[in-house]
């Protein structure tokens, strides 16, 4: 499967729905609660490949909706992709808002499954569900593991800085050395994964033509943002959480805020923006204009640069062409 390339298991916006059932699933570690929209009955099955396959063969769903649960949904996604069944990962905040609109205060796995099913049915009939692109799960997991190792190294270095006892310092130093070896090993695995995928490797190279985006940034985009190149600039900015949300009511006009989205990608964009404004580029010119001429706070201007880098990377991924900037 090519990262960022649509395959089986997509929910395309405005795609007409079939007469097959729309199923909402509340995902837990050990089981899945499944509810069909408009039915009210909830079925519980084991969260295993065998149980899911038996259910899919019997139920033949047209659309499956579920919330991301930090990895417990991987077996479900794998089974859905294998059978070419359309699925969508709904954002928990959307389900919470839908719950409030229905006046439902109780919360159980079965209630959540029904809510997800009804939400998916209502939204798909009104305006279509958003694009849900299945990325490279193995690459995503390896990139996530690299982040975990780096966080562990940083934590151990902080402990080493205040450690005074020789035995403690020796223990911490040993752990850091082991973590460094693990970091090199996982980075080698990531490089091998990209090398084996011609399209992914090519896209990683194209993304690095954008000022501020290096090898780690490009790999993070491929792993954690498979939608890159398949959404508009506004949609991709909103997805990541760098699009300002207007806060206005009556005469009250608060500062626009950013948030939600994908923190790992935002962290990469933050570092990319900091690097980009240190060197001559349209991003630095844009930042200087906001700060010097428009008197914007530095943090606001930096977020604007983050958004600009993301939109630029999105265009590069869409056109499969290197970035050729101009000062215009």
């Amino acid at each position: 499967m090519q990262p960022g390339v649509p395959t089986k298991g997509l929910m395309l916006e405005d795609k007409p729905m079939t007469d097959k059932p729309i199923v909402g699933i509340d995902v837990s570690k050990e089981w899945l609660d499944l509810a069909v929209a408009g039915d009210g009955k909830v079925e519980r099955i084991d969260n295993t490949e065998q149980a899911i396959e038996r259910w899919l063969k019997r139920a033949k769903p047209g659309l499956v909706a579920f919330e991301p649960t930090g990895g417990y949904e991987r077996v479900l996604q794998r089974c859905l992709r294998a059978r070419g069944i359309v699925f969508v990962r709904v954002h928990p905040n959307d389900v919470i808002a839908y719950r409030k609109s229905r006046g439902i205060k109780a919360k159980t796995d079965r209630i959540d499954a029904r809510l997800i099913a009804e939400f998916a049915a209502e939204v798909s009939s009104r305006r279509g569900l958003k694009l849900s692109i299945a990325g490279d799960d193995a690459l995503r997991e390896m990139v996530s593991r690299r982040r975990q190792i780096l966080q562990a190294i940083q934590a151990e270095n902080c402990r080493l800085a205040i450690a005074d006892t020789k035995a403690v310092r020796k223990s911490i130093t040993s752990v850091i050395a082991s973590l460094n070896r693990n970091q090199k090993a996982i980075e080698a695995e990531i490089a091998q994964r990209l090398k084996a995928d011609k399209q992914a490797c090519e896209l990683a190279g194209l993304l690095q033509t954008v000022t501020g985006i290096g090898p780690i940034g490009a790999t993070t985009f491929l792993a954690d943002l498979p939608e890159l190149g398949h959404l508009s600039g506004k949609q991709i900015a909103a997805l990541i959480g760098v699009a300002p949300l207007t806060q206005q009511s009556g005469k009250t006009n608060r500062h626009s805020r950013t948030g939600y989205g994908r923190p790992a990608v935002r962290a990469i964009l933050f570092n990319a923006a900091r690097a980009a404004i240190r060197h001559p580029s349209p991003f630095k010119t844009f930042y200087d204009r906001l700060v010097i001429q428009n008197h914007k706070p530095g943090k606001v201007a930096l977020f604007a640069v983050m958004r600009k880098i993301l939109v630029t990377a999105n265009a590069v991924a869409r056109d499969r062409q290197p970035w050729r900037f101009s000062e215009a």
Side-chain angles (χ1 to χ4, degrees):
M1 210 284 298
Q2 311 293 350
V5 179
T7 65
K8 293 186 292 184
L10 303 186
M11 180 60 218
L12 297 178
E13 188 177 5
D14 300 328
K15 182 176 180 177
M17 298 302 301
T18 68
D19 56 357
K20 292 184 178 180
I22 297 175
V23 179
I25 300 181
D26 184 79
V27 181
S28 301
K29 181 179 180 180
E30 297 180 357
W31 60 73
L32 306 175
D33 287 289
L34 311 106
V36 177
D39 189 332
K41 295 181 181 179
V42 179
E43 178 183 359
R44 174 169 286 184
I45 64 173
D46 292 336
N47 190 4
T48 63
E49 191 167 339
Q50 294 79 8
I52 294 171
E53 285 293 341
R54 287 195 298 269
W55 172 75
L56 289 174
K57 190 180 294 185
R58 171 169 47 85
K60 296 181 173 59
L63 167 66
V64 174
F66 54 88
E67 293 178 344
T69 57
Y72 295 141
E73 74 279 6
R74 287 174 185 163
V75 176
L76 173 62
Q77 289 184 173
R78 190 159 56 241
C79 293
L80 293 172
R81 286 194 203 115
R83 286 183 169 267
I85 295 173
V86 174
F87 70 84
V88 64
R89 289 165 290 192
V90 297
H91 198 288
N93 290 337
D94 291 333
V95 178
I96 291 171
Y98 186 70
R99 178 194 301 276
K100 290 180 179 178
S101 72
R102 298 284 299 274
I104 298 174
K105 295 183 179 180
K107 188 182 189 311
T108 67
D109 293 345
R110 295 177 180 272
I111 290 174
D112 287 349
R114 292 192 195 100
L115 275 173
I116 293 170
E118 298 299 334
F119 172 76
E122 182 176 328
V123 175
S124 64
S125 63
R126 275 194 291 115
R127 52 184 170 82
L129 290 166
K130 298 298 183 183
L131 182 69
S132 181
I133 296 178
D136 187 331
D137 286 337
L139 181 63
R140 183 184 298 114
E141 190 171 4
M142 286 189 286
V143 170
S144 177
R145 181 56 187 160
R146 180 186 178 276
R147 280 196 298 268
Q148 293 165 4
I149 292 172
L150 288 175
Q151 290 166 1
I153 291 174
Q154 183 180 9
E156 289 298 299
N157 278 322
C158 290
R159 295 184 186 105
L160 183 62
I162 60 174
D164 189 44
T165 306
K166 183 178 179 180
V168 173
R169 293 183 64 85
K170 182 179 179 181
S171 173
I172 295 174
T173 302
S174 175
V175 171
I176 291 174
S178 176
L179 288 170
N180 283 327
R181 288 194 296 271
N182 274 271
Q183 180 189 344
K184 291 179 180 178
I186 198 70
E187 287 176 349
E189 292 289 342
I190 291 171
Q192 189 65 29
R193 182 81 181 181
L194 289 177
K195 188 177 179 180
D197 189 330
K198 185 178 178 181
Q199 287 192 18
C201 192
E202 179 186 357
L203 180 54
L206 291 173
L207 290 173
Q208 291 177 61
T209 64
V210 180
T211 301
I213 299 179
I216 300 301
T219 305
T220 302
F221 279 132
L222 292 175
D224 295 322
L225 191 55
E227 297 89 348
L228 195 71
H230 301 290
L231 301 178
S232 69
K234 289 183 178 180
Q235 288 174 327
I236 204 76
L239 180 66
I240 299 307
V242 293
L245 304 175
T246 304
Q247 306 286 321
Q248 189 272 335
S249 178
K251 294 182 179 180
T252 303
N253 192 6
R254 300 183 181 90
H255 289 295
S256 297
R257 294 183 177 182
T258 58
Y260 304 112
R262 300 182 187 176
V265 179
R266 279 207 308 275
I268 286 294
L269 285 170
F270 179 75
N271 291 330
R274 290 182 62 192
I277 63 176
R278 293 195 185 104
H279 306 283
S281 72
F283 300 127
K284 176 173 172 52
T285 303
F286 176 64
Y287 177 84
D288 291 342
R289 184 168 69 248
L290 289 177
V291 173
I292 299 171
Q293 297 180 16
N294 298 344
H295 307 290
K296 296 290 185 182
K299 185 176 180 180
V300 172
L302 192 64
F303 254 81
V305 173
M306 289 167 59
R307 186 166 59 253
K308 203 172 186 66
I309 290 175
L310 175 62
V311 171
T312 302
N314 189 58
V316 167
R318 180 196 63 214
D319 300 335
R320 288 297 197 277
Q321 294 292 328
W323 184 50
R324 297 184 180 90
F325 68 83
S326 64
E327 293 292 341

